[in-house]
Amino acid sequence: MNTNELVDRLAENWDLSQAEARRILDTFVETITDHLAAGNSFTIPELGTFGTKTRESRKSYNPHYEQYMMLPPKRVVDFTPSKGLKEDLEDLEQDHE
Amino acid sequence: MSEKVTFSELVEIIAEESEHSKQFTHDFLKDFVSVINEGLESDGTVNIAGWGKFDLQRVDEQEGYNPQTDEKMLIPAHNKIVFKPYKDVRELINAPYAHMEPELIEESEDQPEETEQQENTGRSKAEESESVEDQQQDEQPSSTKEMEPQDDFIPTAPPTQFDKEKDSTESGPIDSEEQEQQEAEQTPELPESDTESAETPKPESSVVEFEPEATSSASPLDRPTARRKNSISIPMVIAASFLLILIAGAAWYFSILTDNSQEKSKVALTTRQATNSTKNVQPDQKPSQDNASASQNGSAKSTKPDANKPKAAAQKQVTPNKTGNSDKDNRKNIDNITIDRGQTLWSIAEDTYGNPRLWPWIYGTNEPLEDPDVIIAGNPLDVPLPSGPNNSLNASDSLGVSKGFLATYRWYKDHQSDKAKNHLWAAKLYYENLRDIADVQIDQADLKYANQAR
């Protein structure tokens, strides 16, 4: 499902124009990325918890240069799906792959 | 810094920004989540523009341990939900570390010693053949084939070569003696090399490297390299020989280059003495100055830096000098450069820090700059350098960065640009107590925006 389909559905459900539904969605995305950038974490019910974590710098082998490299630390988004969602989808047979 | 934001707080902010009631926003988001869930169930993937992609991934049945009882157990096949943020988001999140880059670890214990030895002997051999080449085909222009790939391999060329060269370019005509000495140093190695490889240096060296492996050391070759290489795999030998050829080409090229640049530096020296009152001349300033004077009238702000355009031999020298000087630069806190044609604050920041977003730091350091979007080619520019280890920012650096962002904030605010509040936000990111350092009027709404993001 892509953003257009998502916006379609939301606009239909709430009797909004697509532009309006999109605007709310964009606001939502902007708000949460701002929070993530600031290092805050938050939970969205039924979906999961978003946060950031820092990966330590580590040694890694670069096959191209055939040498070991020290990779710098990295801050990444950490997503933990909510339990309900996980259980719902855990045993779902996937036929679309 | 890292605090937990509740869902209702999120709803509140979004409701405020999208001008809907809290109740509506709450229900809308709930519905949004359920649509995502449905999408995952039906398609297995949901893509949200500007944010990221939720994916359902199948995990096969696998063995695992129960961490409490240490018992082996079978984990049944299941789906897992992964979220992959968009690149923009990833970069935003990683912003605090974005200026850091992977570093080569010099002494890797897993690498066999033999390779290094082989490379050393190989390198000296390459130098020998190079000096032979110098003598035989003295003024013949270098073949372009060698020149092109050589740029990539600059860091692998012998560092001593750079240092010598730097000396000779810096001190100009005075050191012509040293120059001769340097050449003399190269030649003594010549008599030792066997005549066979001297006559046809390049093809020969590749064959020589390869032979021992092919014949699997059946014939005892008299060269020490041949015996050592028995344990090394074929691709490695090929790679090594290719590398050696490149190094030979590079070394030869640089020895020619020294001649050229010496003449140039005579000219450059006079202009430099006139224009520069500071004695603290950066070696790579000379070439850029040459460029700048050539393109004095060029306008500044352009999107693509054309630094890669090969012009004169002198310009090519910028690259090796930079690598050679990185230690030197770290010790000084401000790098004094001349703005090159096509450079922008953004591009300079990217080249210097690896993180273009730090450009306001340069802006803040240069008082005379007015419009942060316009710099003039040919003008001098002070580029502050990070003084922390590994090119990272220490406390006073980030204070400087914050001040830079405040300066850009002020400019954009004065010119009613929407960018202003973002710059205030960034300033707060690098220094918490903005009020202590703020010498400008801060708009309350902007401050609220900056605080909100914390």
Side-chain angles (χ1 to χ4, degrees):
Chain A
M1 183 184 268
N2 61 29
T3 318
N4 285 339
E5 290 164 18
L6 187 74
V7 169
D8 272 356
R9 288 282 293 278
L10 287 173
E12 203 179 299
N13 287 356
W14 291 89
D15 199 19
L16 296 168
S17 70
Q18 293 210 356
E20 181 63 14
R22 182 140 219 156
R23 199 174 65 87
I24 303 177
L25 194 64
D26 286 346
T27 317
F28 168 74
V29 168
E30 201 177 302
T31 311
I32 56 182
T33 40
D34 280 353
H35 273 294
L36 282 176
N40 296 340
S41 64
F42 49 86
T43 303
I44 296 173
E46 312 280 294
L47 186 62
T49 305
F50 292 87
T52 57
K53 63 180 176 188
T54 306
R55 283 191 198 142
E56 294 291 308
S57 69
R58 64 193 172 88
K59 210 166 113 179
S60 152
Y61 184 71
N62 182 328
H64 183 252
Y65 294 111
E66 299 191 347
Q67 246 159 331
Y68 282 89
M69 316 269 287
M70 198 52 147
L71 299 187
K74 191 174 188 190
R75 201 157 74 126
V76 293
V77 177
D78 180 28
F79 169 67
T80 315
S82 81
K83 212 160 184 180
L85 178 64
K86 213 166 140 185
E87 276 163 10
D88 277 354
L89 298 174
E90 204 155 62
D91 301 317
L92 182 81
E93 281 301 318
Q94 280 178 291
D95 45 6
H96 40 75
E97 271 188 350
Chain B
M1 175 121 172
S2 60
E3 54 186 70
K4 197 125 173 100
V5 182
T6 60
F7 186 58
S8 56
E9 276 172 336
L10 274 183
V11 167
E12 208 169 306
I13 297 166
I14 295 164
E16 199 180 307
E17 294 216 4
S18 64
E19 290 151 6
H20 285 286
S21 71
K22 277 186 213 171
Q23 185 60 48
F24 171 84
T25 315
H26 181 268
D27 293 346
F28 182 88
L29 287 183
K30 283 270 188 191
D31 191 43
F32 165 67
V33 169
S34 65
V35 173
I36 291 181
N37 289 358
E38 278 169 37
L40 275 176
E41 264 174 57
S42 62
D43 294 357
T45 173
V46 176
N47 203 341
I48 299 167
W51 192 29
K53 191 173 162 189
F54 292 93
D55 251 326
L56 209 55
Q57 285 181 358
R58 189 78 187 159
V59 182
D60 284 336
E61 191 178 78
Q62 56 181 338
E63 265 190 3
Y65 284 95
N66 181 338
Q68 274 165 352
T69 58
D70 261 5
E71 271 173 26
K72 257 192 190 175
M73 57 185 284
L74 210 60
I75 302 168
H78 61 278
N79 294 320
K80 84 174 171 185
I81 304 148
V82 290
F83 171 68
K84 193 181 182 207
Y86 272 27
K87 194 162 179 249
D88 287 356
V89 178
R90 285 207 304 274
E91 278 171 3
L92 186 70
I93 301 299
N94 195 36
Y97 299 108
H99 58 280
M100 294 171 81
E101 277 179 15
E103 281 171 14
L104 269 181
I105 301 173
E106 290 299 332
E107 286 134 275
S108 53
E109 54 272 28
D110 290 41
Q111 219 156 29
E113 239 184 69
E114 290 157 302
T115 341
E116 255 181 57
Q117 282 178 351
Q118 180 211 340
E119 213 161 75
N120 282 342
T121 50
R123 185 182 291 158
S124 62
K125 204 202 276 173
E127 272 167 21
E128 282 163 27
S129 59
E130 164 245 313
S131 54
V132 172
E133 228 168 49
D134 263 0
Q135 285 193 335
Q136 287 185 337
Q137 7 169 290
D138 209 353
E139 281 310 307
Q140 202 196 23
S142 53
S143 69
T144 40
K145 258 186 202 168
E146 280 165 42
M147 311 277 276
E148 274 163 12
Q150 167 240 328
D151 275 351
D152 299 335
F153 281 85
I154 276 168
T156 53
T160 48
Q161 198 83 8
F162 286 149
D163 290 341
K164 280 180 198 164
E165 195 168 280
K166 230 192 298 165
D167 286 344
S168 57
T169 44
E170 259 180 328
S171 43
I174 313 153
D175 263 352
S176 53
E177 269 183 18
E178 201 182 286
Q179 171 79 21
E180 276 166 22
Q181 217 176 2
Q182 181 197 332
E183 265 167 23
E185 268 169 31
Q186 284 178 359
T187 35
E189 289 168 319
L190 165 67
E192 282 161 37
S193 74
D194 49 358
T195 44
E196 194 183 276
S197 74
E199 271 161 24
T200 52
K202 252 164 253 150
E204 179 64 19
S205 65
S206 68
V207 174
V208 166
E209 303 291 314
F210 198 70
E211 224 170 29
E213 190 55 45
T215 55
S216 67
S217 77
S219 61
L221 292 169
D222 49 358
R223 282 190 209 99
T225 37
R227 260 168 270 136
R228 277 203 205 98
K229 248 174 284 152
N230 291 343
S231 57
I232 300 165
S233 63
I234 296 177
M236 215 142 133
V237 174
I238 296 172
S241 56
F242 182 64
L243 207 81
L244 290 178
I245 291 170
L246 280 167
I247 290 172
W252 180 52
Y253 171 62
F254 278 122
S255 67
I256 289 179
L257 203 70
T258 358
D259 294 348
N260 282 344
S261 63
Q262 215 171 22
E263 284 168 32
K264 280 232 167 183
S265 64
K266 275 178 203 164
V267 185
L269 204 69
T270 43
T271 41
R272 212 193 317 165
Q273 276 167 347
T275 50
N276 258 323
S277 53
T278 48
K279 283 179 184 170
N280 198 357
V281 179
Q282 296 283 324
D284 55 345
Q285 192 176 352
K286 179 189 64 67
S288 61
Q289 214 168 29
D290 282 353
N291 275 338
S293 56
S295 59
Q296 195 76 281
N297 303 333
S299 69
K301 183 90 178 177
S302 78
T303 42
K304 266 189 198 166
D306 54 355
N308 295 337
K309 209 186 283 176
K311 280 182 193 165
Q315 193 181 0
K316 279 207 170 174
Q317 231 178 333
V318 178
T319 340
N321 274 350
K322 259 185 193 162
T323 43
N325 278 353
S326 59
D327 301 67
K328 239 187 223 176
D329 287 348
N330 281 344
R331 261 175 263 135
K332 292 167 202 156
N333 280 332
I334 286 190
D335 192 2
N336 196 314
I337 66 160
T338 306
I339 300 168
D340 218 343
R341 187 175 191 165
Q343 280 189 316
T344 60
L345 287 176
W346 179 273
S347 75
I348 296 170
E350 185 164 27
D351 292 345
T352 316
Y353 314 124
N355 179 7
R357 290 192 170 76
L358 285 175
W359 68 265
W361 192 14
I362 305 175
Y363 175 78
T365 314
N366 291 272
E367 277 294 322
L369 283 185
E370 293 237 326
D371 188 340
D373 294 331
V374 175
I375 53 175
I376 313 289
N379 284 0
L381 191 72
D382 292 337
V383 179
L385 297 169
S387 40
N390 296 329
N391 219 21
S392 64
L393 304 173
N394 66 14
S396 71
D397 288 342
S398 57
L399 178 64
V401 174
S402 185
K403 280 180 175 165
F405 273 110
L406 272 178
T408 47
Y409 164 73
R410 184 189 199 171
W411 168 271
Y412 285 125
K413 195 69 194 168
D414 287 349
H415 293 76
Q416 263 108 41
S417 170
D418 289 341
K419 289 183 210 163
K421 65 176 183 178
N422 295 329
H423 284 256
L424 188 68
W425 179 85
K428 184 136 176 90
L429 196 69
Y430 284 97
Y431 192 76
E432 186 66 35
N433 300 316
L434 271 187
R435 286 186 188 282
D436 298 352
I437 56 168
D439 52 348
V440 294
Q441 193 76 35
I442 296 179
D443 191 280
Q444 280 306 316
D446 292 343
L447 193 62
K448 195 183 163 205
Y449 176 83
N451 286 332
Q452 205 178 56
R454 301 303 297 174

